[in-house]
Amino acid sequence: MNNKVLIFSYLPRHLKKMVPVIHSLSQDRSIELTVLVMSREEQEIALQEGFSCTLLQQYTSKTPRWNFDLGWGLEPLIKALDDVQPDLFIALEVNYILRNAIRYCKQNNIRNLILQHGTPNEFSLHAFTPFEGECFAAWGEYTKDFLLKHGGITGSQIVLTGGVPFDKTISLSPDKKEVARSLGVPVNKKWIVFTTQSSGAHGRPTPSEIEMSILEVVELSSHYSDVHFIFQVHPSQPIEEVSDIVSKSNNANYCTVARYKDTEGLMKLSDGVITFFSTTALDAVIMQKPLMLINLHDDHEFLPFASMRAAYGVSSREEIAFALDNMIHQPNALIDGARRAAEYVNYMNGDGKAIERVMQLIHNILQNNYNTKEKDYEH
């Protein structure tokens, strides 16, 4: 008899991170897989990726009041759990309705696994703790150290697997000519990619530092005739917001504002990455790219990379010019720190086997072989 696994996602960017796990489970003859999604956008992703999914709407006669109506979603999600009766429930975080879904799983003896979806910081703890699930598959020691420090989870609940999304990061080999043609950017120049962020939890980054940082980079862009600057706009941020800021400068022709379909592929082709505290910073250190982290609001360090000498930490507008010049003219200055940082954030960094470790963890849980005393997964 096959084991039933139910995967739930409510955001397109979350589902994209689940794709390798979904494909691996789909190919496992011992698994009966149900993929449950909340939005039509996720349904389109499933179609493009070649796997079937079910819309949450099918488990209720009620209509959501607005797009991303999470208050509406809890009742049909619990109905889906009752209907499917999975042996294992998998999701990407414990935030919003998922916290209640995990409680329901515990009450009904449904095994559950949470896969890491992003980089925790003090302003995003609500997406990670308090942790009420059975097991948390963490990308690396940094995540484990952070969550243990801030409470709500015990070491026995954390299993280090490495980040499944980083398996792709490590193996990427995009065609620069094809990407340049798609974006309409010069192929014969260096590319600096600025992965933007909208103002999120606790108003960080602030609207003023978003505008100030972007505008300063655009102003400096004219100093580098052999460099083109690409602003890769975050999925939750209106692309017009960034375009309007860039257009305030006379140097806008040195820059391109885009939402390219493959952020990691774009970064792989770049000669440096700029961001605030996006998860793309982890990709940057794993790819060994020169990295600038901007925080103009205070001296808070969202990520440990500047203190590890893996990135240039910028806390004032004036420091952007210095960091940018070093990124372009001394690209290997922080390479040793980047290597150490990559190992810290991504368990067994470089082996490309995170998906294998996650799959083994899933089977261990299903077979009741999951040892909560293990520090990490060894295969």
Side-chain angles (χ1 to χ4, degrees):
M1 183 175 174
N2 289 349
N3 287 299
K4 294 181 180 180
V5 174
L6 173 60
I7 287 180
F8 174 66
S9 169
Y10 62 78
L11 281 174
R13 65 178 183 270
H14 284 190
L15 184 62
K16 288 179 181 178
K17 292 183 178 182
M18 290 257 219
V19 166
V21 177
I22 291 170
H23 282 316
S24 294
L25 288 171
S26 298
Q27 294 163 12
D28 191 323
R29 294 184 179 181
S30 69
I31 299 292
E32 183 179 330
L33 178 65
T34 299
V35 179
L36 186 64
V37 300
M38 187 166 163
S39 67
R40 296 286 180 184
E41 292 83 358
E42 290 165 291
Q43 195 175 40
E44 285 297 317
I45 292 169
L47 183 64
Q48 293 166 11
E49 293 288 345
F51 62 83
S52 60
C53 69
T54 302
L55 273 173
L56 191 60
Q57 178 71 67
Q58 294 186 28
Y59 286 95
T60 181
S61 59
K62 297 179 181 178
T63 305
R65 293 163 293 177
W66 50 76
N67 192 30
F68 197 60
D69 184 358
L70 287 167
W72 162 86
L74 180 58
E75 183 180 338
L77 177 54
I78 289 177
K79 189 175 185 306
L81 285 165
D82 288 340
D83 186 69
V84 176
Q85 295 188 339
D87 298 293
L88 178 63
F89 176 68
I90 301 177
L92 268 183
E93 59 176 30
V94 295
N95 199 13
Y96 300 121
I97 59 175
L98 284 167
R99 193 178 304 283
N100 288 316
I102 290 295
R103 289 177 183 173
Y104 188 77
C105 286
K106 290 169 66 177
Q107 292 167 0
N108 291 273
N109 297 314
I110 299 172
R111 309 296 296 272
N112 51 86
L113 170 64
I114 302 299
L115 306 179
Q116 185 171 348
H117 77 287
T119 313
N121 62 69
E122 291 179 8
F123 297 134
S124 69
L125 276 175
H126 57 284
F128 296 89
T129 63
F131 184 76
E132 300 179 44
E134 180 177 351
C135 179
F136 183 87
W139 290 345
E141 289 284 357
Y142 169 68
T143 299
K144 180 176 181 179
D145 290 347
F146 186 93
L147 294 180
L148 291 177
K149 176 182 176 182
H150 289 87
I153 187 168
T154 65
S156 64
Q157 292 171 288
I158 303 173
V159 175
L160 303 184
T161 60
V164 171
F166 302 138
D167 284 352
K168 173 190 171 186
T169 297
I170 293 163
S171 63
L172 279 172
S173 56
D175 185 330
K176 187 172 183 177
K177 288 183 179 179
E178 178 58 29
V179 177
R181 183 197 61 78
S182 176
L183 291 176
V185 300
V187 70
N188 59 343
K189 289 189 176 185
K190 296 177 182 178
W191 294 351
I192 296 294
V193 174
F194 193 141
T195 57
T196 70
Q197 289 172 263
S198 58
S199 190
H202 292 256
R204 305 300 305 275
T206 66
S208 62
E209 67 180 318
I210 291 171
E211 178 165 355
M212 191 181 301
S213 302
I214 292 173
L215 196 54
E216 181 65 14
V217 170
V218 179
E219 288 294 320
L220 293 167
S221 65
S222 63
H223 298 180
Y224 306 97
S225 60
D226 61 338
V227 179
H228 193 79
F229 292 78
I230 302 172
F231 292 86
Q232 173 73 343
V233 182
H234 191 276
S236 68
Q237 186 175 24
I239 196 166
E240 296 79 14
E241 179 182 310
V242 178
S243 296
D244 289 347
I245 296 171
V246 171
S247 66
K248 292 179 181 180
S249 171
N250 293 327
N251 295 336
N253 58 315
Y254 293 93
C255 309
T256 295
V257 178
R259 184 175 283 134
Y260 185 61
K261 60 184 179 181
D262 183 1
T263 298
E264 293 79 14
L266 182 60
M267 292 170 59
K268 189 82 169 188
L269 295 169
S270 77
D271 296 274
V273 175
I274 304 171
T275 193
F276 297 98
F277 50 87
S278 166
T279 299
T280 57
L282 276 68
D283 291 282
V285 297
I286 289 169
M287 294 177 186
Q288 311 291 287
K289 298 292 181 179
L291 175 64
M292 183 195 307
L293 297 176
I294 301 177
N295 178 8
L296 307 183
H297 187 74
D298 54 33
D299 59 359
H300 180 88
E301 187 178 42
F302 288 94
L303 296 167
F305 301 149
S307 59
M308 294 181 73
R309 294 189 57 77
Y312 295 101
V314 169
S315 58
S316 70
R317 184 170 184 168
E318 295 71 27
E319 292 176 345
I320 293 177
F322 171 80
L324 185 60
D325 201 64
N326 278 310
M327 286 174 64
I328 293 172
H329 292 133
Q330 300 183 59
N332 295 319
L334 302 181
I335 194 74
D336 290 339
R339 290 185 181 124
R340 290 192 298 272
E343 293 287 345
Y344 185 42
V345 299
N346 189 33
Y347 177 69
M348 298 295 289
N349 181 63
D351 75 351
K353 295 181 179 180
I355 184 61
E356 294 180 24
R357 288 187 282 272
V358 168
M359 287 297 295
Q360 186 61 60
L361 175 59
I362 289 171
H363 279 285
N364 286 349
I365 294 173
L366 287 169
Q367 296 164 11
N368 294 312
N369 290 331
Y370 168 52
N371 184 353
T372 57
K373 295 186 182 303
E374 285 296 322
K375 173 183 173 182
D376 51 39
Y377 165 69
E378 297 179 2
H379 78 294

